[in-house]
Each structure stands twice: as C-alpha cells, then as structure tokens.
Amino acid sequence: MSANAMSAGLRDLVRELLEGGGGEPSEGGRFLPLVTLESGARIGLDSAAAWVFAPEGGGPAQAFAPDSGGPIVFEVLESKRDDFDASIEEAARAAGLPPEEVAFSFPAADVVRAVLARGLPSMTRLALSWLRLTEARALRAEIMAVSRDPTMPVPLRDLAERLTVPE
C-alpha cells in the first residue's frame, strides 16, 4: 500500500465507527479526532475517512488541505514526528482501528511538499527533518530542488542532497 493510501476496509471501519456514534459531533456530521496540536486544533478522520482538522475552540471540522500551506500545516511540523505518529496510533488503537494503517494514511508527504514549496529556510529545515525516509521517494523532485537552490543555506542544501534517494 502506498503512502496516504487507506484501504477500503479501513474506510468502512471509520464510517461504521462514526455512524455508530463514535468520535465527536461536528457541524455536518461526526469526526474522529486523533491528534491535538499545541494550539488546541485537532486533526482526525471524518465519515469518508478523509483527514480533517477542527479549529481550537470549536467550529466545523474542515478538510485538511496541506497544499494550502496555512498555519495548521506549519503547526503540524512543529510537533515532534514520533509524538505525532504515536498520538495517531494511540487514538486509532483506542477506537478499535488498525493503528499503523491509520498513521500511514496521514498525508505527511503532502504536508512536507507544501512547506518546501514556500521556500522558507527555517521551515524547509523543519520539513526535511520531519520527513520519514520512507516518504522521501515521493518528494524526490522537491528535495532535489532544495539541494540546488542557491538561496538556501549550504547546510540545508547538503541535508537535502543526503535525503535525495535514487529513482
């Protein structure tokens, strides 16, 4: 199964869980919160097993769109990756879902891609450090671009070059 792929069986389990009253109510349905960020915003799955976030203080769960590059994407990267993944796995396990498959389905490569596209050196370093090596192949072109970007600090270009995997 490729990164971000969620099996039909898992999608069915999430839907059944939420339709059966699991998770939390949200405007327009229910969602299963899996991670609470430092701001209090929560990230989880909706009844279509799509990743959503609920802003701190309430409000409807919204589609998690890493390509928007909004503050929530940066805040995700400010979480330690091991803690972030562990939170997903723990919450999935508590809900009776397969923890590794749920964690693996999080669009981590899309989050990193969105941040790399911004070209901000400090956030680029954070994004490259947050990346799992298993996700590097999906981001090969973006990582190579960082390694060749003359506006990036040399240590950051060197890090990107070390993360570039063969095709």
Side-chain angles (χ1 to χ4, degrees), residues 25-57:
S26 176
E27 290 180 31
R30 299 186 72 78
F31 90 109
L32 178 64
L34 297 168
V35 177
T36 300
L37 300 174
E38 204 170 293
S39 69
R42 294 171 303 146
I43 297 174
L45 296 168
D46 67 9
S47 60
W51 286 92
V52 296
F53 79 94
E56 188 272 328

PDB file of all heavy atoms in Angstrom, residues 25-57:
ATOM      1  N   PRO A  25     -19.250  14.831  17.688  1.00  0.00           N
ATOM      2  CA  PRO A  25     -20.101  15.547  16.730  1.00  0.00           C
ATOM      3  C   PRO A  25     -19.353  16.752  16.167  1.00  0.00           C
ATOM      4  O   PRO A  25     -18.517  17.355  16.834  1.00  0.00           O
ATOM      5  CB  PRO A  25     -21.300  15.989  17.562  1.00  0.00           C
ATOM      6  CG  PRO A  25     -20.896  15.841  18.982  1.00  0.00           C
ATOM      7  CD  PRO A  25     -19.731  14.921  19.046  1.00  0.00           C
ATOM      8  N   SER A  26     -19.649  17.045  14.946  1.00  0.00           N
ATOM      9  CA  SER A  26     -19.103  18.216  14.271  1.00  0.00           C
ATOM     10  C   SER A  26     -20.193  18.727  13.350  1.00  0.00           C
ATOM     11  O   SER A  26     -21.055  17.950  12.926  1.00  0.00           O
ATOM     12  CB  SER A  26     -17.863  17.825  13.462  1.00  0.00           C
ATOM     13  OG  SER A  26     -17.379  18.923  12.737  1.00  0.00           O
ATOM     14  N   GLU A  27     -20.169  20.006  13.063  1.00  0.00           N
ATOM     15  CA  GLU A  27     -21.177  20.525  12.143  1.00  0.00           C
ATOM     16  C   GLU A  27     -21.122  19.704  10.860  1.00  0.00           C
ATOM     17  O   GLU A  27     -20.075  19.528  10.275  1.00  0.00           O
ATOM     18  CB  GLU A  27     -20.903  22.001  11.830  1.00  0.00           C
ATOM     19  CG  GLU A  27     -21.166  22.897  13.019  1.00  0.00           C
ATOM     20  CD  GLU A  27     -20.893  24.352  12.717  1.00  0.00           C
ATOM     21  OE1 GLU A  27     -21.065  24.767  11.555  1.00  0.00           O
ATOM     22  OE2 GLU A  27     -20.506  25.062  13.651  1.00  0.00           O
ATOM     23  N   GLY A  28     -22.251  19.157  10.461  1.00  0.00           N
ATOM     24  CA  GLY A  28     -22.320  18.361   9.243  1.00  0.00           C
ATOM     25  C   GLY A  28     -21.992  16.902   9.449  1.00  0.00           C
ATOM     26  O   GLY A  28     -21.842  16.162   8.490  1.00  0.00           O
ATOM     27  N   GLY A  29     -21.842  16.430  10.686  1.00  0.00           N
ATOM     28  CA  GLY A  29     -21.565  15.015  10.905  1.00  0.00           C
ATOM     29  C   GLY A  29     -20.709  14.778  12.128  1.00  0.00           C
ATOM     30  O   GLY A  29     -20.761  15.536  13.093  1.00  0.00           O
ATOM     31  N   ARG A  30     -19.910  13.721  12.081  1.00  0.00           N
ATOM     32  CA  ARG A  30     -19.031  13.363  13.186  1.00  0.00           C
ATOM     33  C   ARG A  30     -17.612  13.231  12.654  1.00  0.00           C
ATOM     34  O   ARG A  30     -17.416  13.018  11.467  1.00  0.00           O
ATOM     35  CB  ARG A  30     -19.473  12.036  13.807  1.00  0.00           C
ATOM     36  CG  ARG A  30     -20.892  12.090  14.374  1.00  0.00           C
ATOM     37  CD  ARG A  30     -21.239  10.811  15.103  1.00  0.00           C
ATOM     38  NE  ARG A  30     -20.552  10.663  16.378  1.00  0.00           N
ATOM     39  CZ  ARG A  30     -20.891  11.291  17.506  1.00  0.00           C
ATOM     40  NH1 ARG A  30     -21.906  12.127  17.521  1.00  0.00           N
ATOM     41  NH2 ARG A  30     -20.220  11.086  18.622  1.00  0.00           N
ATOM     42  N   PHE A  31     -16.654  13.348  13.562  1.00  0.00           N
ATOM     43  CA  PHE A  31     -15.288  13.076  13.171  1.00  0.00           C
ATOM     44  C   PHE A  31     -14.551  12.435  14.328  1.00  0.00           C
ATOM     45  O   PHE A  31     -14.966  12.536  15.489  1.00  0.00           O
ATOM     46  CB  PHE A  31     -14.591  14.334  12.642  1.00  0.00           C
ATOM     47  CG  PHE A  31     -13.867  15.163  13.662  1.00  0.00           C
ATOM     48  CD1 PHE A  31     -12.481  15.213  13.676  1.00  0.00           C
ATOM     49  CD2 PHE A  31     -14.554  15.906  14.598  1.00  0.00           C
ATOM     50  CE1 PHE A  31     -11.804  15.978  14.608  1.00  0.00           C
ATOM     51  CE2 PHE A  31     -13.885  16.683  15.528  1.00  0.00           C
ATOM     52  CZ  PHE A  31     -12.503  16.718  15.539  1.00  0.00           C
ATOM     53  N   LEU A  32     -13.485  11.717  14.003  1.00  0.00           N
ATOM     54  CA  LEU A  32     -12.685  11.017  14.986  1.00  0.00           C
ATOM     55  C   LEU A  32     -11.380  11.784  15.180  1.00  0.00           C
ATOM     56  O   LEU A  32     -10.488  11.720  14.347  1.00  0.00           O
ATOM     57  CB  LEU A  32     -12.389   9.591  14.505  1.00  0.00           C
ATOM     58  CG  LEU A  32     -11.503   8.742  15.409  1.00  0.00           C
ATOM     59  CD1 LEU A  32     -12.186   8.500  16.752  1.00  0.00           C
ATOM     60  CD2 LEU A  32     -11.163   7.428  14.726  1.00  0.00           C
ATOM     61  N   PRO A  33     -11.267  12.570  16.266  1.00  0.00           N
ATOM     62  CA  PRO A  33     -10.018  13.301  16.498  1.00  0.00           C
ATOM     63  C   PRO A  33      -8.901  12.319  16.861  1.00  0.00           C
ATOM     64  O   PRO A  33      -9.103  11.409  17.661  1.00  0.00           O
ATOM     65  CB  PRO A  33     -10.352  14.234  17.656  1.00  0.00           C
ATOM     66  CG  PRO A  33     -11.557  13.672  18.308  1.00  0.00           C
ATOM     67  CD  PRO A  33     -12.261  12.816  17.301  1.00  0.00           C
ATOM     68  N   LEU A  34      -7.745  12.521  16.265  1.00  0.00           N
ATOM     69  CA  LEU A  34      -6.614  11.621  16.502  1.00  0.00           C
ATOM     70  C   LEU A  34      -5.388  12.330  17.065  1.00  0.00           C
ATOM     71  O   LEU A  34      -4.577  11.719  17.742  1.00  0.00           O
ATOM     72  CB  LEU A  34      -6.241  10.904  15.194  1.00  0.00           C
ATOM     73  CG  LEU A  34      -7.332   9.997  14.630  1.00  0.00           C
ATOM     74  CD1 LEU A  34      -7.000   9.566  13.217  1.00  0.00           C
ATOM     75  CD2 LEU A  34      -7.529   8.784  15.523  1.00  0.00           C
ATOM     76  N   VAL A  35      -5.245  13.615  16.760  1.00  0.00           N
ATOM     77  CA  VAL A  35      -4.090  14.390  17.225  1.00  0.00           C
ATOM     78  C   VAL A  35      -4.591  15.750  17.678  1.00  0.00           C
ATOM     79  O   VAL A  35      -5.383  16.379  16.978  1.00  0.00           O
ATOM     80  CB  VAL A  35      -3.057  14.608  16.092  1.00  0.00           C
ATOM     81  CG1 VAL A  35      -1.896  15.467  16.567  1.00  0.00           C
ATOM     82  CG2 VAL A  35      -2.548  13.296  15.544  1.00  0.00           C
ATOM     83  N   THR A  36      -4.106  16.195  18.840  1.00  0.00           N
ATOM     84  CA  THR A  36      -4.374  17.562  19.285  1.00  0.00           C
ATOM     85  C   THR A  36      -3.054  18.318  19.202  1.00  0.00           C
ATOM     86  O   THR A  36      -2.057  17.907  19.801  1.00  0.00           O
ATOM     87  CB  THR A  36      -4.920  17.601  20.721  1.00  0.00           C
ATOM     88  OG1 THR A  36      -6.136  16.842  20.755  1.00  0.00           O
ATOM     89  CG2 THR A  36      -5.195  19.030  21.159  1.00  0.00           C
ATOM     90  N   LEU A  37      -3.060  19.397  18.431  1.00  0.00           N
ATOM     91  CA  LEU A  37      -1.863  20.216  18.264  1.00  0.00           C
ATOM     92  C   LEU A  37      -1.724  21.175  19.441  1.00  0.00           C
ATOM     93  O   LEU A  37      -2.647  21.337  20.238  1.00  0.00           O
ATOM     94  CB  LEU A  37      -1.943  20.979  16.939  1.00  0.00           C
ATOM     95  CG  LEU A  37      -2.056  20.094  15.693  1.00  0.00           C
ATOM     96  CD1 LEU A  37      -2.271  20.946  14.453  1.00  0.00           C
ATOM     97  CD2 LEU A  37      -0.818  19.218  15.534  1.00  0.00           C
ATOM     98  N   GLU A  38      -0.584  21.812  19.531  1.00  0.00           N
ATOM     99  CA  GLU A  38      -0.303  22.716  20.640  1.00  0.00           C
ATOM    100  C   GLU A  38      -1.350  23.823  20.758  1.00  0.00           C
ATOM    101  O   GLU A  38      -1.695  24.249  21.849  1.00  0.00           O
ATOM    102  CB  GLU A  38       1.088  23.324  20.452  1.00  0.00           C
ATOM    103  CG  GLU A  38       1.707  23.788  21.733  1.00  0.00           C
ATOM    104  CD  GLU A  38       3.164  24.150  21.553  1.00  0.00           C
ATOM    105  OE1 GLU A  38       3.966  23.242  21.289  1.00  0.00           O
ATOM    106  OE2 GLU A  38       3.473  25.351  21.685  1.00  0.00           O
ATOM    107  N   SER A  39      -1.881  24.282  19.629  1.00  0.00           N
ATOM    108  CA  SER A  39      -2.879  25.358  19.653  1.00  0.00           C
ATOM    109  C   SER A  39      -4.234  24.890  20.153  1.00  0.00           C
ATOM    110  O   SER A  39      -5.108  25.697  20.432  1.00  0.00           O
ATOM    111  CB  SER A  39      -3.058  25.926  18.239  1.00  0.00           C
ATOM    112  OG  SER A  39      -3.699  24.953  17.414  1.00  0.00           O
ATOM    113  N   GLY A  40      -4.420  23.584  20.227  1.00  0.00           N
ATOM    114  CA  GLY A  40      -5.719  23.036  20.585  1.00  0.00           C
ATOM    115  C   GLY A  40      -6.496  22.556  19.369  1.00  0.00           C
ATOM    116  O   GLY A  40      -7.520  21.887  19.508  1.00  0.00           O
ATOM    117  N   ALA A  41      -6.036  22.893  18.171  1.00  0.00           N
ATOM    118  CA  ALA A  41      -6.666  22.374  16.949  1.00  0.00           C
ATOM    119  C   ALA A  41      -6.482  20.857  16.931  1.00  0.00           C
ATOM    120  O   ALA A  41      -5.480  20.338  17.425  1.00  0.00           O
ATOM    121  CB  ALA A  41      -6.035  23.002  15.715  1.00  0.00           C
ATOM    122  N   ARG A  42      -7.466  20.167  16.385  1.00  0.00           N
ATOM    123  CA  ARG A  42      -7.401  18.706  16.340  1.00  0.00           C
ATOM    124  C   ARG A  42      -7.469  18.218  14.908  1.00  0.00           C
ATOM    125  O   ARG A  42      -8.169  18.800  14.074  1.00  0.00           O
ATOM    126  CB  ARG A  42      -8.525  18.115  17.177  1.00  0.00           C
ATOM    127  CG  ARG A  42      -8.302  18.453  18.645  1.00  0.00           C
ATOM    128  CD  ARG A  42      -9.428  18.109  19.549  1.00  0.00           C
ATOM    129  NE  ARG A  42     -10.634  18.778  19.071  1.00  0.00           N
ATOM    130  CZ  ARG A  42     -11.841  18.265  19.170  1.00  0.00           C
ATOM    131  NH1 ARG A  42     -12.035  17.113  19.734  1.00  0.00           N
ATOM    132  NH2 ARG A  42     -12.880  18.916  18.721  1.00  0.00           N
ATOM    133  N   ILE A  43      -6.756  17.154  14.640  1.00  0.00           N
ATOM    134  CA  ILE A  43      -6.732  16.538  13.322  1.00  0.00           C
ATOM    135  C   ILE A  43      -7.263  15.126  13.473  1.00  0.00           C
ATOM    136  O   ILE A  43      -6.921  14.425  14.430  1.00  0.00           O
ATOM    137  CB  ILE A  43      -5.302  16.523  12.744  1.00  0.00           C
ATOM    138  CG1 ILE A  43      -4.803  17.954  12.551  1.00  0.00           C
ATOM    139  CG2 ILE A  43      -5.254  15.751  11.426  1.00  0.00           C
ATOM    140  CD1 ILE A  43      -3.369  18.063  12.117  1.00  0.00           C
ATOM    141  N   GLY A  44      -8.112  14.722  12.543  1.00  0.00           N
ATOM    142  CA  GLY A  44      -8.680  13.386  12.612  1.00  0.00           C
ATOM    143  C   GLY A  44      -9.310  12.987  11.297  1.00  0.00           C
ATOM    144  O   GLY A  44      -8.999  13.548  10.245  1.00  0.00           O
ATOM    145  N   LEU A  45     -10.217  12.039  11.376  1.00  0.00           N
ATOM    146  CA  LEU A  45     -10.877  11.486  10.188  1.00  0.00           C
ATOM    147  C   LEU A  45     -12.368  11.748  10.247  1.00  0.00           C
ATOM    148  O   LEU A  45     -12.990  11.652  11.307  1.00  0.00           O
ATOM    149  CB  LEU A  45     -10.628   9.974  10.106  1.00  0.00           C
ATOM    150  CG  LEU A  45      -9.173   9.553   9.919  1.00  0.00           C
ATOM    151  CD1 LEU A  45      -9.018   8.050  10.147  1.00  0.00           C
ATOM    152  CD2 LEU A  45      -8.671   9.946   8.543  1.00  0.00           C
ATOM    153  N   ASP A  46     -12.951  12.043   9.076  1.00  0.00           N
ATOM    154  CA  ASP A  46     -14.403  12.194   9.006  1.00  0.00           C
ATOM    155  C   ASP A  46     -15.025  10.887   8.531  1.00  0.00           C
ATOM    156  O   ASP A  46     -14.323   9.880   8.358  1.00  0.00           O
ATOM    157  CB  ASP A  46     -14.789  13.388   8.122  1.00  0.00           C
ATOM    158  CG  ASP A  46     -14.457  13.214   6.647  1.00  0.00           C
ATOM    159  OD1 ASP A  46     -14.071  12.093   6.209  1.00  0.00           O
ATOM    160  OD2 ASP A  46     -14.586  14.202   5.907  1.00  0.00           O
ATOM    161  N   SER A  47     -16.328  10.876   8.302  1.00  0.00           N
ATOM    162  CA  SER A  47     -17.019   9.626   7.955  1.00  0.00           C
ATOM    163  C   SER A  47     -16.638   9.093   6.574  1.00  0.00           C
ATOM    164  O   SER A  47     -16.902   7.938   6.279  1.00  0.00           O
ATOM    165  CB  SER A  47     -18.532   9.805   8.052  1.00  0.00           C
ATOM    166  OG  SER A  47     -18.958  10.810   7.155  1.00  0.00           O
ATOM    167  N   ALA A  48     -15.989   9.911   5.765  1.00  0.00           N
ATOM    168  CA  ALA A  48     -15.475   9.428   4.472  1.00  0.00           C
ATOM    169  C   ALA A  48     -14.016   8.991   4.617  1.00  0.00           C
ATOM    170  O   ALA A  48     -13.359   8.697   3.627  1.00  0.00           O
ATOM    171  CB  ALA A  48     -15.597  10.520   3.413  1.00  0.00           C
ATOM    172  N   ALA A  49     -13.519   8.973   5.862  1.00  0.00           N
ATOM    173  CA  ALA A  49     -12.130   8.633   6.177  1.00  0.00           C
ATOM    174  C   ALA A  49     -11.161   9.618   5.541  1.00  0.00           C
ATOM    175  O   ALA A  49     -10.036   9.286   5.232  1.00  0.00           O
ATOM    176  CB  ALA A  49     -11.803   7.197   5.800  1.00  0.00           C
ATOM    177  N   ALA A  50     -11.612  10.860   5.378  1.00  0.00           N
ATOM    178  CA  ALA A  50     -10.748  11.934   4.892  1.00  0.00           C
ATOM    179  C   ALA A  50     -10.157  12.638   6.102  1.00  0.00           C
ATOM    180  O   ALA A  50     -10.825  12.764   7.141  1.00  0.00           O
ATOM    181  CB  ALA A  50     -11.546  12.921   4.045  1.00  0.00           C
ATOM    182  N   TRP A  51      -8.926  13.092   5.982  1.00  0.00           N
ATOM    183  CA  TRP A  51      -8.287  13.829   7.075  1.00  0.00           C
ATOM    184  C   TRP A  51      -8.897  15.212   7.159  1.00  0.00           C
ATOM    185  O   TRP A  51      -9.033  15.910   6.156  1.00  0.00           O
ATOM    186  CB  TRP A  51      -6.782  13.886   6.859  1.00  0.00           C
ATOM    187  CG  TRP A  51      -6.151  12.559   7.146  1.00  0.00           C
ATOM    188  CD1 TRP A  51      -5.905  11.560   6.248  1.00  0.00           C
ATOM    189  CD2 TRP A  51      -5.759  12.068   8.422  1.00  0.00           C
ATOM    190  NE1 TRP A  51      -5.375  10.473   6.895  1.00  0.00           N
ATOM    191  CE2 TRP A  51      -5.266  10.758   8.232  1.00  0.00           C
ATOM    192  CE3 TRP A  51      -5.770  12.601   9.701  1.00  0.00           C
ATOM    193  CZ2 TRP A  51      -4.790   9.980   9.279  1.00  0.00           C
ATOM    194  CZ3 TRP A  51      -5.288  11.838  10.749  1.00  0.00           C
ATOM    195  CH2 TRP A  51      -4.808  10.530  10.537  1.00  0.00           C
ATOM    196  N   VAL A  52      -9.280  15.605   8.376  1.00  0.00           N
ATOM    197  CA  VAL A  52      -9.899  16.903   8.626  1.00  0.00           C
ATOM    198  C   VAL A  52      -9.239  17.521   9.856  1.00  0.00           C
ATOM    199  O   VAL A  52      -8.561  16.832  10.617  1.00  0.00           O
ATOM    200  CB  VAL A  52     -11.425  16.785   8.862  1.00  0.00           C
ATOM    201  CG1 VAL A  52     -12.139  16.258   7.621  1.00  0.00           C
ATOM    202  CG2 VAL A  52     -11.732  15.889  10.057  1.00  0.00           C
ATOM    203  N   PHE A  53      -9.436  18.825  10.028  1.00  0.00           N
ATOM    204  CA  PHE A  53      -8.991  19.458  11.263  1.00  0.00           C
ATOM    205  C   PHE A  53     -10.138  20.272  11.821  1.00  0.00           C
ATOM    206  O   PHE A  53     -10.965  20.811  11.097  1.00  0.00           O
ATOM    207  CB  PHE A  53      -7.723  20.294  11.071  1.00  0.00           C
ATOM    208  CG  PHE A  53      -7.955  21.639  10.454  1.00  0.00           C
ATOM    209  CD1 PHE A  53      -8.133  22.757  11.253  1.00  0.00           C
ATOM    210  CD2 PHE A  53      -7.990  21.790   9.086  1.00  0.00           C
ATOM    211  CE1 PHE A  53      -8.352  24.006  10.683  1.00  0.00           C
ATOM    212  CE2 PHE A  53      -8.194  23.031   8.505  1.00  0.00           C
ATOM    213  CZ  PHE A  53      -8.378  24.145   9.309  1.00  0.00           C
ATOM    214  N   ALA A  54     -10.176  20.317  13.132  1.00  0.00           N
ATOM    215  CA  ALA A  54     -11.176  21.108  13.841  1.00  0.00           C
ATOM    216  C   ALA A  54     -10.417  22.205  14.574  1.00  0.00           C
ATOM    217  O   ALA A  54      -9.520  21.910  15.364  1.00  0.00           O
ATOM    218  CB  ALA A  54     -11.947  20.239  14.822  1.00  0.00           C
ATOM    219  N   PRO A  55     -10.751  23.449  14.301  1.00  0.00           N
ATOM    220  CA  PRO A  55     -10.034  24.543  14.950  1.00  0.00           C
ATOM    221  C   PRO A  55     -10.245  24.530  16.460  1.00  0.00           C
ATOM    222  O   PRO A  55     -11.258  24.050  16.953  1.00  0.00           O
ATOM    223  CB  PRO A  55     -10.632  25.802  14.323  1.00  0.00           C
ATOM    224  CG  PRO A  55     -11.802  25.375  13.528  1.00  0.00           C
ATOM    225  CD  PRO A  55     -11.809  23.890  13.430  1.00  0.00           C
ATOM    226  N   GLU A  56      -9.266  25.079  17.167  1.00  0.00           N
ATOM    227  CA  GLU A  56      -9.365  25.193  18.618  1.00  0.00           C
ATOM    228  C   GLU A  56     -10.580  26.060  18.941  1.00  0.00           C
ATOM    229  O   GLU A  56     -10.876  27.014  18.242  1.00  0.00           O
ATOM    230  CB  GLU A  56      -8.077  25.834  19.152  1.00  0.00           C
ATOM    231  CG  GLU A  56      -7.961  25.836  20.653  1.00  0.00           C
ATOM    232  CD  GLU A  56      -8.598  27.047  21.301  1.00  0.00           C
ATOM    233  OE1 GLU A  56      -8.595  28.124  20.690  1.00  0.00           O
ATOM    234  OE2 GLU A  56      -9.110  26.900  22.408  1.00  0.00           O
ATOM    235  N   GLY A  57     -11.330  25.694  19.941  1.00  0.00           N
ATOM    236  CA  GLY A  57     -12.491  26.475  20.340  1.00  0.00           C
ATOM    237  C   GLY A  57     -13.767  26.064  19.637  1.00  0.00           C
ATOM    238  O   GLY A  57     -14.797  26.699  19.805  1.00  0.00           O
TER     239      GLY A  57
END
